[in-house]
Amino acid sequence: MRQEIKFNLNSETIALEVNPNEVLLEVLRDKIGVKSPKCGCDNGDCGTCTVMINGKTVRSCLVLGIEVDGQEVVTLEGLMDSGLTSLQKSFIEHNSFQCGFCAPGMILSATELLAENQKPNKEEIQEALSGNLCRCTGYTPIIEAIEAITK
Ligand code: FES
Ligand code: FES
C-alpha cells in the first residue's frame, strides 16, 4: 500500500506517495528527478548514492523512502545555492574527477568531514572517504583537493 511522505529536500518541501519497499535513491532519481545520487552497486558498497539526512551522510540505496518522512535530506544540488562550493572548485583545480561518477558522493562525504573537523589530517580524510569508491583517479587528487582547502 502506497504511503504519503513529506520531507525537506534541499530547502524545499516535498510531498509524494511512495511504495513501502522503494528506496530513497529511487525516490530521488525516478520520482523527483534529482540526478546527483547515482546507482553504482545498489548494495551499500560504493558510496555513489550518498546523500545527507539531517546533516549525516547515508547510502540512499539502503534507506527506504518512507524513512525520510519528516526529515531533512540534502543532495549535492542542495550545496550549490550560490554556485560551486570552494570544495567543488578545489576538486576541479586538482583534476580530482575523470568520469565523475563518484564525485557527488565524494563531495558530500568531504563536506560532512569538514563540517566536523576543519583541519583533518590525511588519515582522517582517507577514513572519511573510505566508503566512497573511485574507479578512475587512484584517490590522490581527491585527497589533495580536500587538503588544499584546509590550509
Ligand atoms: S549504490 Fe548505494 S552504495 Fe553503491
Ligand atoms: S572519477 Fe570515475 S569513479 Fe571516480
Side-chain angles (χ1 to χ4, degrees), residues 127-146:
E127 172 67 26
L129 300 183
S130 60
N132 294 88
L133 304 185
C134 177
R135 62 192 169 189
C136 308
T137 66
Y139 301 98
T140 299
I142 294 171
I143 291 165
E144 287 173 348
I146 298 167

Side-chain angles (χ1 to χ4, degrees), residues 25 38-49 59 61:
L25 179 60
K38 313 261 186 271
C39 185
C41 68
D42 212 14
N43 202 30
D45 292 329
C46 73
T48 60
C49 64
R59 307 284 175 258
C61 69

Side-chain angles (χ1 to χ4, degrees), residues 96-102 133-137:
S96 306
F97 310 128
Q98 289 182 27
C99 78
F101 199 73
C102 67
L133 304 185
C134 177
R135 62 192 169 189
C136 308
T137 66

